[in-house]
Amino acid sequence: MIAEILKNVAIVVVGLLPIMNPLTTIPLFMALTKHMSQDTRRLQARKACIYAFSILTAFLLLGNGIISLFGISLPGIRIAGGIIIMILALRMIFSGDDTSSAVDAEPSEIKKANLDYSFSPLAIPSLAGPGSIAVTMSFGSEIPPSHLIAGHMVVIVGIAITVGFAYLALSAAPWIEKALGDHGMQAVTKIMGFLLTCVAVQFLASGIRDFYVDFSQM
């Protein structure tokens, strides 16, 4: 029984981790928290992971009801996430940073550093994006009716482990930044901004395609 549970937890982690891919969130995290203290950065990473875990768990348990209640579809979530990521990515490309850099030089005047980016865009759509939500709901749909409680607990544990990997990745961001230096960070920010633009385009394209498929079947 224990071996079967561990096997199913591993399946959830293996299925969810590549979709969440916390490594792609590191450049966005570093850009958004550039003017924050180390303690604030750690708090942002912790809150982002808690939010991501809560979002994925909520969609696991209440996904179909949430979507029906608000009239939201997964294609709509994909397009909304793509737009948010596109805006942030273009700022990273053309300014080498995002709006968190648009602050006064005086430390007492740096108010943008106190902004909370943990829920959006770090938790959603970056960590708990449309793909992660879709995968989580797919795992939930495969739970046998005779093992609902145990099945949901297995998926929740898998989500927690995956989010734990994400927290480790975000926590390592300051060391990565120190290793690269200012010029290296600017180069990485622009490169990752381009890659995030590609991800955003993919989100938008897949969302539009799914919208077209849904409407063509009506």
Side-chain angles (χ1 to χ4, degrees):
M1 178 67 70
I2 295 177
E4 187 69 20
I5 291 174
L6 293 177
K7 174 185 174 182
N8 290 329
V9 169
I11 290 174
V12 174
V13 174
V14 170
L16 184 58
L17 188 59
I19 303 298
M20 181 180 290
N21 196 4
L23 294 179
T24 60
T25 307
I26 290 178
L28 180 62
F29 176 78
M30 289 190 293
L32 292 173
T33 62
K34 180 177 181 179
H35 296 289
M36 296 180 181
S37 65
Q38 293 300 323
D39 290 338
T40 305
R41 277 185 163 188
R42 283 192 290 269
L43 178 61
Q44 288 285 295
R46 185 162 59 250
K47 289 175 64 177
C49 291
I50 291 173
Y51 283 138
F53 173 79
S54 301
I55 291 167
L56 294 179
T57 302
F59 272 96
L60 170 67
L61 301 175
L62 307 169
N64 292 329
I66 293 174
I67 289 175
S68 300
L69 178 63
F70 292 99
I72 302 171
S73 63
L74 283 177
I77 296 175
R78 286 192 181 94
I79 292 176
I83 291 173
I84 293 173
I85 293 176
M86 177 70 76
I87 293 171
L88 293 170
L90 291 177
R91 286 173 176 168
M92 291 170 67
I93 292 174
F94 293 112
S95 66
D97 209 341
D98 77 309
T99 53
S100 64
S101 65
V103 294
D104 296 331
E106 293 297 326
S108 61
E109 308 246 340
I110 299 179
K111 298 180 180 179
K112 284 254 183 181
N114 294 322
L115 290 179
D116 191 347
Y117 297 104
S118 58
F119 185 80
S120 179
L122 292 177
I124 187 168
S126 190
L127 293 176
S132 300
I133 291 172
V135 169
T136 300
M137 293 179 65
S138 297
F139 280 125
S141 66
E142 295 175 1
I143 297 174
S146 58
H147 297 83
L148 285 178
I149 296 178
H152 281 91
M153 289 302 300
V154 165
V155 178
I156 289 172
V157 171
I159 294 172
I161 293 174
T162 306
V163 170
F165 283 124
Y167 178 72
L168 293 177
L170 295 182
S171 297
W175 287 276
I176 296 174
E177 186 176 20
K178 287 181 181 179
L180 293 175
D182 290 338
H183 294 293
M185 277 302 303
Q186 289 181 8
V188 170
T189 298
K190 290 182 181 293
I191 293 172
M192 294 308 299
F194 172 75
L195 295 178
L196 284 175
T197 302
C198 297
V199 172
V201 171
Q202 186 64 44
F203 275 10
L204 291 169
S206 62
I208 293 172
R209 180 199 62 199
D210 291 344
F211 262 131
Y212 174 78
V213 171
D214 290 344
F215 280 116
S216 64
Q217 295 175 351
M218 294 178 63

